[in-house]
Amino acid sequence: MMTSLEADCAESADESAQGDFLLYDGECPFCSFYARKSEFQTPGGRPLTLVDANRAPDLIEELRKDGCGVDEGMVLVLDGRRYQGAEAMTALEAMTGGTGWFGGLSKWFASNPKRVRALYPWFQRLRRAALWVKGRRGLD
């Protein structure tokens, strides 16, 4: 079950966006680690651009205008569709190509949408705590 914010954000993405991308908070050590280590591979071999939200103010503003609360979770745009938060992690599961312990753990975790929805709020709390320790408030 999606939150209302995720439902608002899960609509068609604006075609003016730069193709398939994952928007994440580069200031968050957990988000950055996940984005770097997962080695995402899109269907058909198209590249998935990793976008640090802190370096993309125009994209952030565009997403906010579309009703997407970018501080509430990562945003994935894939094949013209937008996913956010737990829904993004579930969609990314099929594209996770990372090897080793992290790749296996990531694939196992994201393979169960109920598990992702149950634990994603805790990931959000960890992110906020990490940002607080760094003296940052988030993206909003």
Side-chain angles (χ1 to χ4, degrees):
M1 179 166 119
M2 280 192 254
T3 66
S4 62
L5 184 58
E6 287 174 335
D8 288 344
C9 196
E11 298 171 3
S12 292
D14 184 342
E15 294 302 320
S16 67
Q18 63 230 20
D20 298 333
F21 66 88
L22 175 65
L23 180 77
Y24 69 99
D25 186 351
E27 289 290 323
C28 170
F30 306 113
C31 302
S32 294
F33 183 83
Y34 176 74
R36 281 191 331 268
K37 292 293 187 180
S38 293
E39 300 175 20
F40 302 114
Q41 300 166 357
T42 62
R46 292 183 322 274
L48 180 69
T49 304
L50 300 178
V51 180
D52 178 350
N54 297 284
R55 301 185 198 290
D58 293 340
L59 180 58
I60 296 291
E61 187 59 30
E62 181 181 326
L63 290 167
R64 282 190 182 130
K65 285 179 184 176
D66 287 345
C68 193
V70 294
D71 208 33
E72 297 303 314
M74 70 179 98
V75 177
L76 170 68
V77 172
L78 183 65
D79 294 330
R81 181 170 161 94
R82 190 179 307 139
Y83 305 86
Q84 184 172 26
E87 299 296 323
M89 282 193 92
T90 302
L92 286 166
E93 183 271 334
M95 298 186 312
T96 300
T99 57
W101 70 270
F102 183 77
L105 178 64
S106 181
K107 245 179 140 33
W108 170 83
F109 174 75
S111 67
N112 183 319
K114 287 182 182 180
R115 180 176 30 236
V116 176
R117 282 192 303 273
L119 292 177
Y120 199 83
W122 291 100
F123 293 153
Q124 290 172 307
R125 289 179 185 102
L126 280 173
R127 175 182 166 266
R128 287 187 193 110
L131 293 176
W132 180 79
V133 167
K134 292 175 84 173
R136 300 289 308 238
R137 292 185 47 159
L139 298 169
D140 289 334

